Amino acid sequence: MKPYKSFLFLLVLAIVAGNVLYFYPGASIPVYKSFSIRIPTLFDEQKKDVGVQPTLAYNEKMQPNTLRYDWTQEELADNIQIDTSFLCSNQLKNIPAYPIEYTGQNPLIKFYEKLQDSNRSKPLRIAHFGDSQIEGDHISSTLRDYFQRSFGGSGCGFLPLFSPVNANSFEVNYSPEWTKKTVLNTSRQNNFGLTMGYISASETDEQPFVEIRKFPYVAYPTSTRFENLHLLVSLNTAVDDIQVVVRQQTMDAEFQIDTLGGFQWLSMRVPAAFANLKILFPSQKRSLLYGVFLDSCEGIAVDNYSLRGAAGYIFSCNTSNVLKESFTLTNTSLIIFQFGVNAVPAASVHLKSTQPYEDNWYKELSYMRTLAPDVPILVIGTSDRSSKTPEGFETNPNIKCILTAQRNAALRAGCAFWSLFDAMGGENSMQEWMNQKPRLCAKDFVHFSQHGAKQVGEMMYKSIASDYWAYLYEKQADSLRRTPPPKELEME
């Protein structure tokens, strides 16, 4: 080939590559199954772009008594440097962020401080509790994906043992020797722990087991990449009696054991590339299995705890020390409390008072805060729920009453609050979500479609990330205010 042709060929390649890098930074191109090619981000404007300021305002001063110098907003903006890549501006540019509400100091600061800690020895766990709106890992899977791409980590977290719908990435089955017990089928105080239930093996001659199968298709590939298998158990046997079988071969189950009260948190390294994993427990030994978890050694883990039909009055059914111990052992660092649609009465019922609803939720949230005072709680206000009227589908008239009760209970209990109803667009927004292509809600005008659940997860993540950005901004601003601004340094 002649030299000028070689030059032209290389020039065309450079132009094509440059356009791809410029217009699609950070994009992921699927190639085969879960394998994809990720386009690198060469431009570093996000890391120093304090001009991309969220609309949320961090409306309190970190240490007001120590402020000694007056900086202008322009001077602060010029001197504050924040890596804003966690805002995922390219991916979420069309997704709205809705303010997180609280009274006094932002309760989420305790979680934000842990996010900044680079010396963590294990992943921070986010416990996402909810009703059927999050069943099947809906919403949680999107939150998990954005948290892990921004702050590290991988794996799907908690695998539901008795949910009627499997998680997006895995199917879990257990042998007939196990019986299940959940917070939904008892009204008595019980030892459920944070998983809100457990399975117990009957004393038979058969060896009870739990089997995990990986789905061939997953929405988020990071959920199938993990390093550790964890079991939250209450054993009546030696840990060495538990067997882990991968690819029909029994592994050397060298569990690391953390014990607190009646719980054991068992951890071992397992290969991520398995299609089938089986955990066998000894027969004739009555043990309780609360949960199976798959995650990495660092970063963020998001656990989906879905309870179909629940209205959120579930935590006080737990024995206090059992719930507290399970939160501590799993390193749960943030609780997301998402209930409400099951508490909304039918449209034909006119609520005269929402005080009983508020008091019940306040009781549950206060109970949790007492047991885990260092774990902040973010309460998600109910979504829109439409009812059929002669004019068409309209917002259930009780929605705003329930939303007010949730907001009041959350703020009374010292929790943060985020209104999904308002983030969706307010009154009759479910009808608008139904009209979108693809549809964002199911035909019952109550639940979200897969696309709708993804959008809710994106809105929730962007709102949390924006609130975190505001915290970082004010923290740096507070530090700067303790030093003379540039104009005073020049005068000196």
Side-chain angles (χ1 to χ4, degrees):
M1 183 181 294
K2 295 184 178 180
Y4 80 91
K5 291 185 177 180
S6 298
F7 172 76
L8 290 175
F9 176 72
L10 293 174
L11 180 62
V12 170
L13 280 181
I15 292 172
V16 171
N19 276 277
V20 170
L21 290 170
Y22 183 81
F23 289 105
Y24 303 97
S28 182
I29 301 174
V31 177
Y32 178 72
K33 293 184 178 180
S34 62
F35 178 75
S36 61
I37 297 175
R38 194 171 188 84
I39 299 172
T41 302
L42 298 183
F43 303 100
D44 205 32
E45 72 276 10
Q46 278 191 327
K47 293 190 176 182
K48 297 185 178 180
D49 183 10
V50 296
V52 187
Q53 298 187 10
T55 56
L56 308 186
Y58 189 79
N59 53 19
E60 60 185 289
K61 300 188 184 303
M62 302 287 292
Q63 297 179 358
N65 295 327
T66 63
L67 308 186
R68 293 171 294 177
Y69 299 96
D70 292 327
W71 286 66
T72 66
Q73 289 298 321
E74 292 76 14
E75 288 169 338
L76 289 174
D78 289 340
N79 287 274
I80 288 178
Q81 302 296 325
I82 300 176
D83 181 350
T84 61
S85 57
F86 63 84
L87 290 172
C88 301
S89 300
N90 290 330
Q91 300 90 338
L92 301 177
K93 60 183 178 182
N94 296 323
I95 298 296
Y98 196 80
I100 293 175
E101 304 171 45
Y102 50 87
T103 57
Q105 188 182 62
N106 187 349
L108 298 182
I109 286 178
K110 293 181 179 179
F111 176 64
Y112 297 157
E113 289 173 343
K114 291 181 179 180
L115 276 182
Q116 288 191 282
D117 184 5
S118 59
N119 297 318
R120 297 194 303 268
S121 58
K122 50 187 176 181
L124 299 180
R125 309 201 78 87
I126 299 174
H128 188 188
F129 294 100
D131 48 33
S132 55
Q133 292 282 35
I134 71 168
E135 201 170 59
D137 215 21
H138 274 193
I139 304 176
S140 303
S141 57
T142 302
L143 272 177
R144 182 184 305 115
D145 180 62
Y146 279 99
F147 267 108
Q148 290 181 344
R149 73 166 73 180
S150 299
F151 301 101
S154 59
C156 64
F158 172 71
L159 292 174
L161 297 176
F162 32 73
S163 172
V165 178
N166 285 304
N168 280 338
S169 308
F170 296 91
E171 177 186 17
V172 180
N173 296 301
Y174 50 85
S175 58
E177 292 77 35
W178 297 96
T179 56
K180 70 176 181 179
K181 193 168 187 179
T182 77
V183 71
L184 298 179
N185 56 28
T186 182
S187 58
R188 296 183 297 106
Q189 196 89 351
N190 216 312
N191 301 332
F192 296 119
L194 87 163
T195 61
M196 297 298 144
Y198 54 78
I199 55 177
S200 61
S202 305
E203 296 183 8
T204 67
D205 294 332
E206 299 297 325
Q207 189 170 23
F209 65 86
V210 174
E211 188 174 38
I212 303 170
R213 293 180 180 273
K214 186 185 297 184
F215 288 147
Y217 169 78
V218 293
Y220 299 107
T222 55
S223 65
T224 60
R225 296 199 297 267
F226 49 84
E227 300 164 300
N228 294 321
L229 164 71
H230 303 287
L231 304 177
L232 183 63
V233 295
S234 181
L235 292 178
N236 191 23
T237 183
V239 174
D240 293 341
D241 293 336
I242 300 175
Q243 296 178 302
V244 178
V245 178
V246 178
R247 303 192 194 98
Q248 299 182 345
Q249 292 185 350
T250 302
M251 298 183 61
D252 293 329
E254 297 180 358
F255 284 105
Q256 293 182 351
I257 309 170
D258 292 322
T259 301
L260 186 60
F263 282 115
Q264 293 84 39
W265 177 252
L266 310 181
S267 306
M268 70 172 292
R269 301 296 291 267
V270 292
F274 73 79
N276 181 292
L277 182 148
K278 184 178 288 188
I279 307 164
L280 298 100
F281 291 78
S283 58
Q284 300 296 334
K285 297 290 185 179
R286 189 172 180 83
S287 299
L288 306 181
L289 175 61
Y290 288 84
V292 179
F293 303 75
L294 297 172
D295 54 47
S296 61
C297 296
E298 56 185 14
I300 303 292
V302 178
D303 301 320
N304 175 286
Y305 301 110
S306 59
L307 298 155
R308 179 185 291 188
Y313 317 134
I314 54 175
F315 299 100
S316 57
C317 293
N318 267 279
T319 306
S320 58
N321 63 309
V322 172
L323 187 57
K324 182 177 182 178
E325 290 161 1
S326 59
F327 278 133
T328 302
L329 270 181
T330 56
N331 197 35
T332 296
S333 303
L334 173 65
I335 295 170
I336 299 177
F337 180 94
Q338 186 172 354
F339 297 92
V341 291
N342 293 311
V344 179
S348 59
V349 177
H350 177 67
L351 280 178
K352 295 181 179 179
S353 173
T354 59
Q355 197 62 45
Y357 294 90
E358 179 182 330
D359 291 342
N360 283 334
W361 278 315
Y362 173 74
K363 173 188 173 183
E364 298 295 323
L365 296 170
S366 297
Y367 184 69
M368 291 247 286
R369 290 213 62 210
T370 301
L371 300 182
D374 294 326
V375 181
I377 301 174
L378 173 60
V379 177
I380 307 298
T382 183
S383 57
D384 188 23
R385 175 172 183 163
S386 296
S387 303
K388 193 170 184 178
T389 69
E391 289 74 27
F393 282 89
E394 297 180 354
T395 292
N396 184 307
N398 295 307
I399 283 284
K400 291 185 179 179
C401 298
I402 294 298
L403 190 67
T404 299
Q406 288 181 307
R407 176 183 281 109
N408 292 344
L411 300 183
R412 277 176 61 194
C415 304
F417 179 80
W418 186 77
S419 173
L420 176 53
F421 175 79
D422 291 302
M424 290 176 63
E427 194 162 354
N428 296 327
S429 54
M430 193 60 87
Q431 175 66 60
E432 293 298 320
W433 281 45
M434 173 62 81
N435 294 335
Q436 300 298 314
K437 293 183 179 180
R439 285 200 305 255
L440 301 180
C441 76
K443 294 181 179 180
D444 61 3
F445 287 84
V446 175
H447 297 89
F448 298 107
S449 67
Q450 186 173 355
H451 294 284
K454 180 176 184 294
Q455 183 158 321
V456 172
E458 289 175 337
M459 290 193 299
M460 285 173 59
Y461 175 80
K462 188 170 183 178
S463 297
I464 297 171
S466 298
D467 193 65
Y468 177 57
W469 178 94
Y471 156 77
L472 293 177
Y473 187 93
E474 185 58 32
K475 185 178 180 181
Q476 283 200 29
D478 179 71
S479 179
L480 285 173
R481 291 188 189 106
R482 302 183 199 186
T483 62
K487 58 187 177 184
E488 295 190 25
L489 287 173
E490 291 174 6
M491 291 174 63
E492 294 178 1

